[in-house]
Amino acid sequence: MIEKIKKEPPYALYFFLLAVVIIALSAWALWVETVKLRPWKAYQKQYIELKSQKLKSEYEKARYEFQSQETQKRYEELKMQLKKATENFQQPGVQEKYKVVKRELDLINEKIKINKAEFQKARGIYLELEYLYHKHQKEEDKVKMAELEKEVVILEDERKELQKKKSVISEELNEFTAEEEKYTAEIREIEKRVEEAKEKFEKLSEVPFEIKQIYINDINKADRCESCHMGINSSDNISELHPFTIHPGKSVYIENHPPEVFGCTMCHRGQGRAVSSADKAHGWVEFWTEPMLKGNMVQATCQTCHGDVQHLRGADLLKKGSSLIEKYGCYDCHKIAGYENLRKTGPELTEIGLKVNYTYLVNWLLDPKDYIETARMPKFDFSEEEASAIADYLFSMTIEHRIDYSPGEINWNLADKGKALWGQSRCSICHPTNSIGGSFKEIYAPDLGIAGSKINRDWLYNWLKDPKSYLPQTKMPRFRFTDDQIWALVEFIMSEYIDWDFNPQYNKPVQLNIKSIQKGKELIQKYGCFGCHEVKGLEEMKPIGPFLRHDEVSYLKVGEIESKVGAEISSIGNQPIERFDFGVLEKLIPNDRMSYLQQKMKAPRSFRDDLIMPDFQFNEEDIEALTALLLGFTDANVPTRFKVPKAQSSFELTGKFAQIDDDVKCLNCHMINGKGEEFAPDLSIEGSKVQEQWLREFLKQPDIIRPMLKQMPLFNLDHDQTMIQGNLSYSEIETIIQYFNHVLVSNEIPENIPDNGLSFQEQKEAGKTLYFDKGCQACHQIGIEGGAVGPNLSNVGNRLTEGYIFKHLENPRTFIPDIVEPNYGFNEDERISLTRYLMSLKNE
Amino acid sequence: MDNLLKLISKPDNVAIVIMLILITVYTVWAFRQAIANDRRKRLGKHVEGSDDKKLDTWPNLVRIEMLVAMVVIAGLIVWSIVLDAPLEEHSNPSLTPNPAKAPWYFLGLQEMLVYFDPWIAGVIFPILIIFGLMAIPYLDINPKGNGYYTFSERKNAILIFCFGFLVLWILLIVIGVFMRGPGWLWYWPWEEWDHNRVIYKVNVDLTQYFGIDSRSLFGFLIGGSVVILYFGLGMILPYYIWKKRNSDFLKKLGMTRYIILSFLFCAMIGLPIKIILTLTLNMKYIWVTPWFNI
């Protein structure tokens, strides 16, 4: 049985209220969808407003100019003139003449038409006859053909005649209307300016609101950055405001990397697809591994495609960072793609006990930079005890032939001779002394400011005699001094460069404690000294022991643990941020990649207690450069069409010249076919560039071409100063010249320059005029006059070959890509004259 | 505690927090109603809904349902606008996230995987749950409790349900969401997750306690007999006890229903038994077969 009970109320009010709420929420949802999640719409509107303001003002300016008195006057004038010209033309006499000429032209046109028709007919018949002749071989056809051929020739001549006549008459006819046309065109020109500006302005309202996207198919990149950054790739700047402004450095960045091909995020990173907020689009959100790089940091990504950052325009940070990596030898402990198989940064330590004194070594280990400002070795924060333990271990390797460190009596006479030798050998080009000198920064040479308190006398003698016997890989040239010279230099260094605060603990052989030696070995193993230094007895330690697992970055792959002390950093630029261990700093510094890298370089061990990376004491600029470089170390795989790999030089020196180079290290300063350094001139085409006789004289006695601290050292001291000694023997000089003449030549350089018919004297005079007209003397010196930016040209006629000068003037960048010298675009005559003039400059 | 707050405030877990609140509120509410009704009944007072009085579905119920639907729609709109879908890091086949968690409603099943062979936890148990739920109307022979709340009249049904739903389903989800950290290790809510934590633990099969290889025929037989013994005793013993006491319930239930009910009940109770064995004795499997492990 069903019994009804009281009914539920109808809840009309609730229904009404809820309906209102849902409608309101729907409106909110609509607003979110159309406005809030599409912020680019507002930017586009603003941009178009700015642009329309600009175009409007341009239009108004054009109109104002049009209405200005001057233009109006000219406009009216032109109109008047046009009217007058039209009137002139309309005059009965002129008109009649015009009509006559026109009729003549019509007549000729008619004639040409008839001629053409006849010509075509003849050709048609001829073709038919030709066919018939081939089929039936009738003689009469051939006769007819010959007749037709004659006829065709006549017709063609006739037509040429007519054409000639026609052009004459046409010109005559044009003269009648020429004035009129001229004025019409000028008037049109004035009107067009206003009309074009107006059209531009009006067309702007037709620009649609839309997401602008660059899609790169093969890497599936969709960059929608231009939806907000609308003016980034336009030719003129609408506004300085972000995001409407134009791309800075357009000539380097945009012109070489058109956005249609490269997109935006390949260089800038960020989340190219995102359009719902600026932060999202820039990738400044959690879990986006490649947030947009700000400011100079954007250089980081150049490395994705460019293999050679040392010579990359617009990537100064990378250049600096890359030099720092090579200088400090980061690759010794970390595996870094692109920096493989480089020589170890530090010197071999096996016989360090013979080289330096014990106290020095301990002090050095405690804080190298405190000791010598330019030191590359980082600070390991050893305690005094630890430092002596390491020193004990290192000294224990040479314990058998321990030496006396007591300073001897100084022979000042000898030291003076040594001082002269020091200058002549240009030691200070590479070696700074107390941070002075050492202008050649690309090659690290130790600061010798306190060498006298550091180095053992006998060791120094042996080193100067033959550096390679101690350190086979050294860059130090063998200067081939005589024993006397060497002793003089030793005396000079030992007496001049002394640390007056130095207080040697041991002048006698050091007593080493076995326990301490053992501890030293353990420390060397722990901190991986053998990463940078060759240490005998520790070669087997290279497959790193268990301490590596304490390392802070845990994404090392198994195979890579074996070879390096530190973590691999080849792809540190896009490793997920979760895999960086911020340790105790997790809540103290921002948890992003840049902060991590900067902190790691500022204070490497601040994350945890058990970290082993030493402190390189980088300054702010160094850290910035290294951060930019590291941010670009990614495993990003871009298609080969984007890649610009480093030019690999497979060039190797050969023969006897290679032996000479091995000894005096030509390639420390000079570059030959991509091998070597860029401190001194590139010698790749030296054989074609300089005259043989000059080269011979120069090698015997390098004279002054460049500023003081760039001069070539006197390997050969056979002039009448202090000591007489030939370093490069005559036979070696001949070897070098032979090598240059046969190997280091260029086919592009002609042996002789072309003759332009003028006499030698005339050419020379013309060249001289040109030299001063173009202002060459601003940079080059002849005699005692002129600037010092470019090489001194006083003796250039004896030095360079005429073919080289001739070719060089055509485009200086052909042989020296980053030369300062501008390209004047000389024509051949000018180049001949200049070459003749320069070749006449000879020192008597 | 930071960690717990982080977990609770994660957009992923909003649903779980809402669920927890709702379940608590409704459970408490239902029990209060049931206890109040029971008291009324004891005092001989009328319990609303326990008589045959009825109300039309249309429009009385439908209207309220419509109202509720509107509230839910409004709530969903707000929720979907305010909270974006929580994205995580780029997927990387060589580097899976740790811990890797299933959607929250599956976390109970995932938690079971800690104790069972995937075949059991992922296939057999879900099937038993679904079919068990479907069978309830046919197994339930108690006509009381329709239209009103009561506890005393449906004690067993309510207790079994509470155990099966609140403990074996909801609690496992809560454990999966809040107590499981990297490596699927147990973390209390006040503990911080530690990615480097390592716990050394070896689980062994039942027969290995006695030095018998669980994969051998002998081990197979022992394991199998233990499982069969459990189900056999669990199903036969109560039958004899009830039979001896001449239980009305058993008579009403009938043989078929009894077998199904007792099997499902044993299976359900087997789950926590295995969990306890694993937690206390490091038990891996009781019965190892080439096809499945229990």
Side-chain angles (χ1 to χ4, degrees):
Chain A
M1 185 209 97
I2 290 167
E3 190 187 328
K4 296 260 162 103
I5 54 168
K6 81 168 198 303
K7 285 185 177 173
E8 296 278 337
Y11 305 115
L13 185 66
Y14 293 105
F15 271 105
F16 175 73
L17 287 177
L18 271 171
V20 170
V21 167
I22 288 179
I23 288 168
L25 287 177
S26 304
W28 182 29
L30 205 66
W31 175 82
V32 168
E33 189 60 30
T34 51
V35 180
K36 196 186 155 216
L37 294 180
R38 285 168 166 70
W40 48 271
K41 277 186 178 172
Y43 287 125
Q44 292 197 354
K45 208 173 149 193
Q46 212 179 330
Y47 179 77
I48 287 175
E49 239 163 61
L50 284 168
K51 197 167 178 182
S52 87
Q53 271 171 22
K54 194 175 176 196
L55 290 181
K56 198 177 172 188
S57 73
E58 265 169 25
Y59 168 51
E60 262 155 22
K61 199 175 148 204
R63 233 176 39 186
Y64 176 76
E65 256 170 35
F66 177 67
Q67 278 163 354
S68 73
Q69 236 175 359
E70 210 174 314
T71 320
Q72 279 297 323
K73 205 173 133 196
R74 173 96 186 113
Y75 188 58
E76 291 303 324
E77 208 173 278
L78 281 170
K79 263 190 176 167
M80 285 292 290
Q81 273 165 335
L82 178 64
K83 209 176 160 193
K84 218 164 122 192
T86 317
E87 267 166 20
N88 271 346
F89 180 58
Q90 295 292 353
Q91 270 171 9
V94 181
Q95 275 292 316
E96 245 159 58
K97 268 188 206 162
Y98 177 71
K99 271 176 192 159
V100 170
V101 178
K102 196 162 185 216
R103 210 168 301 137
E104 226 171 293
L105 184 69
D106 288 346
L107 216 68
I108 285 171
N109 273 337
E110 197 61 32
K111 273 182 190 164
I112 289 175
K113 226 180 189 175
I114 293 165
N115 174 288
K116 259 187 189 162
E118 274 173 8
F119 178 76
Q120 235 147 36
K121 190 178 153 200
R123 246 176 75 94
I125 295 170
Y126 181 85
L127 287 173
E128 190 189 343
L129 282 172
E130 199 179 25
Y131 166 74
L132 287 173
Y133 178 69
H134 274 282
K135 204 166 183 187
H136 304 298
Q137 303 285 340
K138 280 188 194 163
E139 263 319 299
E140 54 178 282
D141 286 343
K142 197 157 191 200
V143 175
K144 276 184 193 166
M145 274 163 70
E147 275 170 22
L148 275 172
E149 256 171 53
K150 267 181 210 161
E151 200 178 321
V152 165
V153 172
I154 291 165
L155 280 170
E156 271 180 348
D157 286 347
E158 199 179 318
R159 194 171 70 207
K160 271 182 199 155
E161 198 66 28
L162 284 170
Q163 299 275 26
K164 229 183 250 170
K165 248 185 194 169
K166 186 187 166 183
S167 65
V168 172
I169 293 172
S170 294
E171 237 165 70
E172 213 174 302
L173 196 65
N174 279 346
E175 265 168 37
F176 285 101
T177 51
E179 217 164 75
E180 217 176 339
E181 270 164 20
K182 190 182 119 199
Y183 294 132
T184 318
E186 260 181 76
I187 289 171
R188 184 84 207 103
E189 186 64 32
I190 292 173
E191 285 170 347
K192 220 170 86 183
R193 266 179 244 156
V194 186
E195 273 167 30
E196 267 178 5
K198 193 181 174 192
E199 196 185 351
K200 257 191 196 170
F201 169 61
E202 278 170 354
K203 261 198 176 164
L204 202 62
S205 59
E206 292 163 22
V207 175
F209 284 100
E210 60 184 6
I211 288 182
K212 306 205 186 316
Q213 170 173 293
I214 295 164
Y215 184 65
I216 306 168
N217 200 15
D218 52 354
I219 45 175
N220 192 22
K221 224 175 220 317
D223 286 346
R224 298 168 180 164
C225 314
E226 281 186 77
S227 302
C228 298
H229 296 272
M230 286 185 77
I232 207 83
N233 194 19
S234 55
S235 46
D236 52 347
N237 208 357
I238 298 293
S239 161
E240 291 296 325
L241 282 173
H242 282 293
F244 311 116
T245 181
I246 196 172
H247 196 288
K250 254 189 116 173
S251 62
V252 180
Y253 303 111
I254 292 268
E255 273 168 27
N256 292 325
H257 309 83
E260 313 83 74
V261 182
F262 290 85
C264 311
T265 54
M266 197 183 282
C267 301
H268 290 273
R269 295 188 178 165
Q271 203 177 178
R273 279 188 156 84
V275 285
S276 56
S277 84
D279 276 353
K280 280 183 196 167
H282 292 162
W284 295 331
V285 286
E286 203 183 357
F287 299 125
W288 192 257
T289 49
E290 300 189 338
M292 195 188 87
L293 298 165
K294 280 187 192 172
N296 277 339
M297 285 294 157
V298 73
Q299 293 175 14
T301 46
C302 299
Q303 298 165 90
T304 314
C305 305
H306 289 278
D308 185 5
V309 293
Q310 283 290 352
H311 305 96
L312 198 56
R313 256 195 315 158
D316 307 334
L317 272 186
L318 296 188
K319 184 175 176 169
K320 186 170 180 197
S322 167
S323 312
L324 282 169
I325 281 200
E326 277 175 25
K327 180 179 174 192
Y328 287 103
C330 307
Y331 52 80
D332 281 326
C333 293
H334 296 283
K335 185 172 174 174
I336 314 173
Y339 295 85
E340 293 101 347
N341 305 325
L342 295 167
R343 57 181 227 141
K344 291 193 171 193
T345 314
E348 186 174 332
L349 295 182
T350 311
E351 292 188 303
I352 191 76
L354 300 178
K355 178 179 172 185
V356 301
N357 70 55
Y358 186 87
T359 315
Y360 162 82
L361 185 58
V362 173
N363 287 346
W364 170 260
L365 284 166
L366 284 172
D367 189 353
K369 272 221 166 60
D370 181 46
Y371 216 65
I372 292 175
E373 210 179 308
T374 56
R376 289 181 297 179
M377 182 156 147
K379 188 180 177 185
F380 279 85
D381 270 330
F382 291 128
S383 67
E384 198 115 359
E385 189 194 354
E386 284 174 326
S388 7
I390 292 173
D392 286 351
Y393 175 75
L394 293 174
F395 267 60
S396 74
M397 289 188 287
T398 47
I399 194 107
E400 288 84 20
H401 28 247
R402 186 134 305 282
I403 12 169
D404 183 11
Y405 289 104
S406 54
E409 277 290 308
I410 286 163
N411 180 342
W412 291 107
N413 194 16
L414 205 58
D416 279 348
K417 283 183 183 170
K419 187 173 184 176
L421 206 54
W422 171 276
Q424 285 156 15
S425 304
R426 308 273 184 269
C427 300
S428 55
I429 286 183
C430 295
H431 288 285
T433 44
N434 294 319
S435 306
I436 298 161
S439 58
F440 184 15
K441 298 268 189 282
E442 280 72 21
I443 280 193
Y444 177 84
D447 190 318
L448 298 182
I450 50 166
S453 305
K454 161 188 174 183
I455 301 270
N456 171 297
R457 205 177 267 270
D458 291 331
W459 181 88
L460 187 56
Y461 171 81
N462 287 328
W463 171 257
L464 287 170
K465 196 169 172 69
D466 186 6
K468 271 191 297 179
S469 69
Y470 180 79
L471 209 58
Q473 282 187 307
T474 186
K475 290 202 168 177
M476 168 102 173
R478 187 168 75 87
F479 278 81
R480 298 143 165 228
F481 298 123
T482 59
D483 284 0
D484 289 345
Q485 285 176 317
I486 296 176
W487 279 122
L489 255 179
V490 170
E491 202 66 28
F492 168 68
I493 292 170
M494 296 306 283
S495 62
E496 178 79 13
Y497 298 120
I498 286 178
D499 179 7
W500 298 106
D501 300 332
F502 184 69
N503 178 23
Q505 245 175 311
Y506 302 103
N507 288 325
K508 284 176 189 160
V510 186
Q511 288 301 309
L512 302 175
N513 176 342
I514 282 290
K515 257 191 192 160
S516 179
I517 291 173
Q518 187 55 35
K519 193 182 168 202
K521 185 167 183 179
E522 278 162 18
L523 282 166
I524 285 177
Q525 288 169 15
K526 177 175 175 192
Y527 290 101
C529 306
F530 45 83
C532 299
H533 299 283
E534 208 62 73
V535 190
K536 211 169 264 179
L538 285 175
E539 291 94 340
E540 81 276 13
M541 292 313 301
K542 272 173 219 166
I544 297 306
F547 61 84
L548 222 193
R549 296 187 198 133
H550 298 305
D551 200 76
E552 75 285 9
V553 187
S554 55
Y555 52 79
L556 269 176
K557 294 175 204 144
V558 176
E560 287 150 5
I561 292 176
E562 286 167 3
S563 55
K564 300 284 179 185
V565 182
E568 179 179 0
I569 53 177
S570 297
S571 54
I572 202 163
N574 70 343
Q575 288 287 351
I577 192 72
E578 303 88 86
R579 270 176 269 167
F580 289 89
D581 183 3
F582 285 86
V584 296
L585 298 178
E586 192 169 359
K587 298 207 167 84
L588 299 176
I589 60 171
N591 286 21
D592 59 49
R593 195 186 316 276
M594 222 164 99
S595 310
Y596 180 89
L597 294 176
Q598 284 172 347
Q599 179 67 24
K600 185 75 191 173
M601 283 180 272
K602 220 178 282 169
R605 298 184 194 167
S606 57
F607 299 94
R608 284 190 191 282
D609 289 338
D610 52 358
L611 300 179
I612 56 166
M613 178 161 157
D615 185 1
F616 285 84
Q617 288 154 307
F618 293 121
N619 60 33
E620 288 293 322
E621 289 99 62
D622 289 351
I623 289 178
E624 195 194 359
L626 282 169
T627 310
L629 194 79
L630 289 173
L631 283 174
F633 285 163
T634 63
D635 50 14
N637 216 350
V638 292
T640 37
R641 68 190 170 93
F642 293 116
K643 296 245 180 198
V644 190
K646 191 171 188 166
Q648 289 292 336
S649 170
S650 56
F651 180 79
E652 289 290 344
L653 295 178
T654 48
K656 278 187 176 165
F657 182 66
Q659 289 171 11
I660 296 172
D661 170 67
D662 199 31
D663 220 23
V664 299
K665 310 284 180 202
C666 310
L667 295 191
N668 266 7
C669 301
H670 293 283
M671 186 171 275
I672 298 180
N673 291 334
K675 282 263 152 76
E677 293 287 345
E678 289 173 323
F679 187 66
D682 190 308
L683 299 181
S684 306
I685 52 159
E686 195 70 0
S688 305
K689 181 179 170 183
V690 300
Q691 297 171 26
E692 189 180 320
Q693 192 49 41
W694 176 85
L695 187 61
R696 189 171 286 117
E697 292 302 321
F698 182 80
L699 287 172
K700 277 186 201 160
Q701 184 191 335
D703 63 359
I704 297 160
I705 310 178
R706 268 151 241 287
M708 180 63 188
L709 279 172
K710 278 194 151 192
Q711 283 165 26
M712 181 145 143
L714 294 173
F715 285 104
N716 183 14
L717 302 166
D718 64 351
H719 55 305
D720 52 359
Q721 290 185 33
T722 35
M723 292 183 197
I724 295 166
Q725 168 67 29
N727 274 320
L728 288 175
S729 66
Y730 287 110
S731 70
E732 278 175 331
I733 290 174
E734 289 312 313
T735 306
I736 294 172
I737 290 170
Q738 286 300 312
Y739 187 82
F740 281 17
N741 283 345
H742 287 107
V743 183
L744 306 181
V745 288
S746 164
N747 296 332
E748 286 176 49
I749 294 174
E751 238 174 76
N752 294 304
I753 61 174
D755 194 6
N756 64 352
L758 292 174
S759 76
F760 184 78
Q761 198 55 36
E762 279 167 345
Q763 287 175 1
K764 206 180 112 179
E765 286 307 317
K768 188 168 183 179
T769 321
L770 207 55
Y771 182 89
F772 289 100
D773 277 357
K774 294 284 179 185
C776 307
Q777 77 279 9
C779 297
H780 291 288
Q781 193 176 346
I782 297 178
I784 51 165
E785 282 167 23
V789 177
N792 189 329
L793 297 180
S794 308
N795 194 25
V796 70
N798 278 330
R799 184 160 73 94
L800 298 177
T801 60
E802 57 179 30
Y804 176 79
I805 297 179
F806 182 69
K807 196 77 190 163
H808 178 81
L809 289 169
E810 188 180 317
N811 181 4
R813 284 182 179 76
T814 312
F815 298 120
I816 313 171
D818 51 355
I819 196 168
V820 192
E821 184 174 338
N823 186 357
Y824 287 100
F826 295 119
N827 63 33
E828 196 179 87
D829 257 359
E830 289 172 326
R831 280 188 279 132
I832 293 171
S833 309
L834 258 178
T835 308
R836 290 271 185 251
Y837 170 62
L838 291 173
M839 287 307 287
S840 72
L841 298 172
K842 293 179 183 180
N843 281 355
E844 294 314 319
Chain B
M1 224 51 184
D2 276 1
N3 200 32
L4 183 69
L5 287 175
K6 218 158 80 187
L7 279 175
I8 288 175
S9 58
K10 249 172 116 173
D12 310 47
N13 294 340
V14 170
I16 301 166
V17 175
I18 293 175
M19 180 196 74
L20 282 181
I21 295 168
L22 287 181
I23 280 181
T24 318
V25 167
Y26 282 125
T27 309
V28 170
W29 192 54
F31 269 94
R32 280 182 60 168
Q33 292 271 332
I35 288 162
N37 280 351
D38 288 348
R39 190 181 297 137
R40 291 172 79 85
K41 220 159 219 180
R42 262 205 317 280
L43 298 172
K45 283 186 188 162
H46 173 71
V47 175
E48 200 183 325
S50 64
D51 46 25
D52 272 348
K53 284 180 187 167
K54 296 272 159 61
L55 200 64
D56 284 341
T57 305
W58 172 263
N60 296 304
L61 176 65
V62 175
R63 215 158 39 192
I64 291 183
E65 280 178 347
M66 182 68 192
L67 265 183
V68 171
M70 286 169 84
V71 171
V72 170
I73 285 173
L76 285 177
I77 291 176
V78 173
W79 189 354
S80 63
I81 291 176
V82 172
L83 287 180
D84 286 336
L87 289 178
E88 291 182 12
E89 67 258 38
H90 281 195
S91 69
N92 177 356
S94 61
L95 192 99
T96 47
N98 185 13
K101 291 191 178 182
W104 64 269
Y105 41 85
F106 277 148
L107 275 177
L109 288 178
Q110 197 181 351
E111 182 61 23
M112 277 201 261
L113 281 172
V114 178
Y115 312 101
F116 287 96
D117 174 348
W119 176 241
I120 303 293
V123 180
I124 300 293
F125 269 120
I127 287 174
L128 283 181
I129 290 168
I130 291 165
F131 281 90
L133 289 170
M134 284 160 70
I136 285 176
Y138 306 102
L139 298 176
D140 183 14
I141 53 166
N142 185 352
K144 286 171 179 162
N146 272 342
Y148 60 98
Y149 292 99
T150 175
F151 178 63
S152 59
E153 291 171 3
R154 298 185 59 85
K155 238 182 213 159
N156 291 328
I158 288 173
L159 286 178
I160 291 173
F161 169 80
C162 284
F163 181 72
F165 181 65
L166 294 182
V167 177
L168 291 189
W169 193 247
I170 301 298
L171 187 65
L172 286 188
I173 288 178
V174 170
I175 289 172
V177 174
F178 296 116
M179 319 289 190
R180 291 298 185 178
W184 210 255
L185 296 174
W186 184 280
Y187 288 87
W188 293 107
W190 54 87
E191 280 179 325
E192 289 290 317
W193 285 6
D194 180 2
H195 282 262
N196 301 321
R197 182 170 152 195
V198 176
I199 290 178
Y200 180 75
K201 198 172 165 186
V202 179
N203 287 345
V204 291
D205 296 333
L206 172 71
T207 52
Q208 284 170 334
Y209 284 110
F210 317 111
I212 300 165
D213 183 7
S214 55
R215 298 189 181 279
S216 65
L217 183 66
F218 192 40
F220 172 81
L221 290 176
I222 293 178
S225 42
V226 169
V227 172
I228 289 167
L229 202 69
Y230 166 75
F231 275 96
L233 283 178
M235 288 162 75
I236 294 165
L237 222 59
Y239 184 81
Y240 272 101
I241 294 168
W242 273 334
K243 190 98 193 178
K244 232 176 188 174
R245 290 186 185 166
N246 212 358
S247 155
D248 274 353
F249 177 69
L250 192 63
K251 273 179 199 154
K252 274 189 204 158
L253 202 61
M255 197 56 172
T256 320
R257 277 201 277 233
Y258 173 76
I259 291 173
I260 295 172
L261 185 66
S262 57
F263 173 74
L264 288 175
F265 185 76
C266 286
M268 189 177 92
I269 297 301
L271 179 71
I273 291 177
K274 177 72 194 296
I275 289 178
I276 290 164
L277 284 177
T278 307
L279 290 179
T280 53
L281 300 174
N282 292 339
M283 179 83 76
K284 194 174 179 192
Y285 296 124
I286 296 166
W287 187 17
V288 178
T289 77
W291 314 283
F292 61 88
N293 308 308
I294 288 177

